[in-house]
Amino acid sequence: MKFMKLGTRQDTFYTEEATRSLASEISSDLEIRINGITYLLHKFALLPRCGLLQRLCSGTPEPTTVTMELHDIPGGEEAFELCAKYCYGITISLSAHNFVQAYCAAKFLRMTESVDQGNFVLKLEAFFNSCILEGWKDSIMALQTTVKLNEWSENLGIIRRCIDSIVDKILMPPAKVGSGRTLQVRWSYTYTRPGFNKHEQSVPKDWWTEDISDLDIDLFRCIITALKSTYMLPPQLIGEALHVYASRWLPDATKTRPLESSEPREVVSDKESQRRVLETIVSMIPVDRGSVSIGFLLRLLNTANYLATSPATKAELIRRSSVQLEDANLSDLLFPSHLGQQVYDIDSVVAVLESFLVVWRRVSQEASVEESQVVASIRRIGKLVDSYLQVVAKDPDMPLSKFVSLAEALPDVARRNHDELYKAINNYLKVWLISHKKKVRLKV
């Protein structure tokens, strides 16, 4: 991360109760109040560089102490203090962590060239252009800090310039992305996939996905939208970025319990934020079939059930999953239920299957049910469903109605024979008999 140091004087600010003062033999003649903090400072240091303070102090007699309130300064007292220290020549260190608040505060105070040559805004802009925007992680960090000063950052163009910088780097050929130890270094990146050694292996195409997953969902959406608009990346790469972000911010629904009304307010609030993340991710999935895996879609559907997302989001996930259902394997379907006592979410599987069958029936009518491709498609699904039924049949809490509903959902042509279905029925009956005997014993 790049840093810029300005000033040479030692920091002599000190705090006494809620007052910040500067150790000086000269009496304070400028009192500035910001969010419960009072600064006792000097006109001679701040006015020559701050156009706003010049205007607010204009017309007051020179010996008079001027009191003003700047509660609306962007970045609050921390940002103001950076500007004040710059005016006094006190050493300050600037980086992507505090650039945005310093820049917004300096613009608010009008620390521009029209007020003083070589002023704070000019130095900050030079640092932004030559260091932050040239760096990979610096651009991301600066962009993330705009969340707290969104309106100012938007109006000053910081958000757009950071996004443009990040997108330009993502679109660069991976061969030009340095690892941090080579002579062709451009920037370092985070990539923690198991078995990957960035010093020995070439740069992967999805090298950028982990770093941008640190961003707020709205900023992440802006970057993904900008990338999609270029049509330069394959949809699978966009899908991988969505997968990484979902893994970073969404709960593992296989290890959580259903939502309960008695949950603490902060937990519910967190789930509301997760719900928004999920719905935004779903809205960004490329339309191309296979841009994300069927396993990922079904996990999102399971998480959507856990978080109680909107019906529209669930419907979209069911539709997208049904389009790729032929690519699924048994493990993809074995996600837990968050309603009722049964172990597996058979309701979602039925919903996805029914959505698939709507399209399949239309295709089969337009072609011919005997056509090999159409028949092969439904028989792949038939094998998958029968394998699934054999597993869920072992759940003692699986309602018979749901088991039968899924078994009967397939058309006759989906099965060459009923051997696998009979195995599933046999499993269900064995479990039912064991469970029934236990209940009888308990009654006795």
Side-chain angles (χ1 to χ4, degrees):
M1 184 168 288
K2 300 292 181 63
F3 293 87
M4 177 175 72
K5 284 193 174 183
L6 296 174
T8 56
R9 290 184 56 191
Q10 184 179 356
D11 188 353
T12 54
F13 271 80
Y14 67 94
T15 302
E16 188 172 329
E17 294 182 351
T19 301
R20 292 280 284 164
S21 306
L22 189 76
S24 172
E25 295 179 356
I26 305 174
S27 300
S28 168
D29 57 0
L30 185 60
E31 183 178 311
I32 298 176
R33 298 171 183 172
I34 304 173
N35 302 327
I37 302 294
T38 299
Y39 286 89
L40 301 180
L41 304 173
H42 305 89
K43 294 179 186 177
F44 77 84
L46 272 67
L47 264 59
R49 293 181 173 83
C50 301
L52 175 64
L53 301 188
Q54 286 181 14
R55 182 176 66 81
L56 293 175
C57 288
S58 62
T60 59
E62 189 56 37
T64 306
T65 297
V66 176
T67 300
M68 60 184 70
E69 297 186 353
L70 299 179
H71 303 301
D72 54 347
I73 183 171
E77 58 270 23
E78 291 182 8
F80 171 77
E81 194 159 316
L82 283 172
C83 296
K85 287 179 178 179
Y86 170 80
C87 293
Y88 279 103
I90 293 172
T91 301
I92 57 175
S93 182
L94 296 160
S95 70
H97 287 283
N98 61 5
F99 161 77
V100 171
Q101 62 174 357
Y103 186 67
C104 292
K107 292 289 279 189
F108 175 86
L109 293 170
R110 300 178 193 170
M111 301 177 72
T112 61
E113 293 301 282
S114 62
V115 176
D116 183 48
Q117 189 173 3
N119 213 344
F120 198 24
V121 167
L122 180 69
K123 289 181 169 62
L124 288 169
E125 287 177 342
F127 177 60
F128 185 49
N129 292 325
S130 63
C131 294
I132 293 179
L133 293 181
E134 288 297 312
W136 167 245
K137 292 189 176 179
D138 294 82
S139 297
I140 293 173
M141 175 55 66
L143 181 60
Q144 181 65 0
T145 62
T146 64
V147 171
K148 295 181 179 179
L149 295 169
N150 184 267
E151 187 174 347
W152 272 88
S153 300
E154 184 70 41
N155 292 337
L156 293 174
I158 300 173
I159 294 176
R160 174 45 51 194
R161 292 170 70 188
C162 284
I163 289 175
D164 289 345
S165 171
I166 292 167
V167 168
D168 287 344
K169 292 175 177 61
I170 291 173
L171 295 177
M172 185 169 288
K176 294 186 178 181
V177 180
S179 65
R181 293 177 177 271
T182 64
L183 294 176
Q184 57 179 26
V185 169
R186 292 300 300 257
W187 47 78
S188 63
Y189 59 90
T190 304
Y191 197 79
T192 58
R193 307 295 198 282
F196 178 77
N197 188 327
K198 67 169 61 177
H199 305 308
E200 297 177 1
Q201 296 172 252
S202 58
V203 177
K205 292 181 180 179
D206 61 339
W207 63 269
W208 47 275
T209 54
E210 286 189 45
D211 287 325
I212 68 166
S213 71
D214 290 334
L215 291 168
D216 166 86
I217 185 60
D218 290 322
L219 296 173
F220 176 78
R221 177 179 51 78
C222 289
I223 289 177
I224 295 299
T225 301
L227 288 171
K228 290 170 71 175
S229 70
T230 67
Y231 299 98
M232 293 178 65
L233 295 182
Q236 292 77 11
L237 202 48
I238 298 295
E240 176 61 15
L242 299 178
H243 180 271
V244 171
Y245 196 90
S247 299
R248 169 85 163 75
W249 293 102
L250 293 179
D252 183 351
T254 64
K255 299 177 181 177
T256 51
R257 58 188 175 82
L259 284 171
E260 297 176 2
S261 59
S262 59
E263 284 185 298
R265 180 172 297 179
E266 60 271 18
V267 174
V268 174
S269 176
D270 186 54
K271 284 187 168 61
E272 289 174 357
S273 134
Q274 292 171 340
R275 188 181 301 121
R276 183 166 171 271
V277 168
L278 189 147
E279 292 175 350
T280 304
I281 287 174
V282 172
S283 72
M284 289 190 290
I285 298 175
V287 297
D288 310 70
R289 186 186 190 280
S291 58
V292 294
S293 69
I294 176 65
F296 178 56
L297 289 169
L298 291 172
R299 286 196 297 276
L300 287 181
L301 178 58
N302 187 232
T303 305
N305 290 331
Y306 169 69
L307 295 174
T309 55
S310 68
T313 297
K314 293 180 185 178
E316 176 63 9
L317 285 169
I318 289 170
R319 186 193 68 80
R320 295 294 299 258
S321 298
S322 71
V323 172
Q324 296 181 215
L325 186 58
E326 288 183 67
D327 301 329
N329 55 47
L330 178 58
S331 61
D332 292 328
L333 303 182
L334 296 174
F335 44 86
S337 171
H338 299 293
L339 296 172
Q341 296 299 314
Q342 68 264 23
V343 175
Y344 301 107
D345 185 4
I346 193 171
D347 294 323
S348 293
V349 174
V350 170
V352 172
L353 177 60
E354 288 177 345
S355 179
F356 169 85
L357 290 174
V358 168
V359 177
W360 181 85
R361 289 190 181 101
R362 185 175 67 246
V363 172
S364 65
Q365 288 172 359
E366 292 173 356
S368 168
V369 76
E370 299 301 327
E371 194 168 319
S372 60
Q373 188 174 356
V374 176
V375 174
S377 170
I378 195 62
R379 285 184 175 166
R380 278 195 294 272
I381 299 301
K383 288 181 179 179
L384 178 64
V385 170
D386 285 350
S387 297
Y388 178 75
L389 285 169
Q390 290 175 34
V391 175
V392 300
K394 297 175 183 179
D395 175 10
D397 294 313
M398 179 58 61
L400 177 61
S401 59
K402 293 185 178 183
F403 181 84
V404 172
S405 175
L406 180 56
E408 293 182 340
L410 289 169
D412 292 340
V413 72
R415 297 181 174 99
R416 289 181 182 275
N417 56 60
H418 294 78
D419 293 352
E420 298 303 312
L421 179 57
Y422 291 149
K423 289 179 183 178
I425 295 172
N426 187 50
N427 288 345
Y428 190 91
L429 291 174
K430 283 181 179 178
V431 172
W432 182 85
L433 286 171
I434 293 171
S435 176
H436 184 68
K437 286 179 181 179
K438 286 182 179 178
K439 289 178 182 178
V440 171
R441 287 173 187 168
L442 288 173
K443 287 182 180 179
V444 174

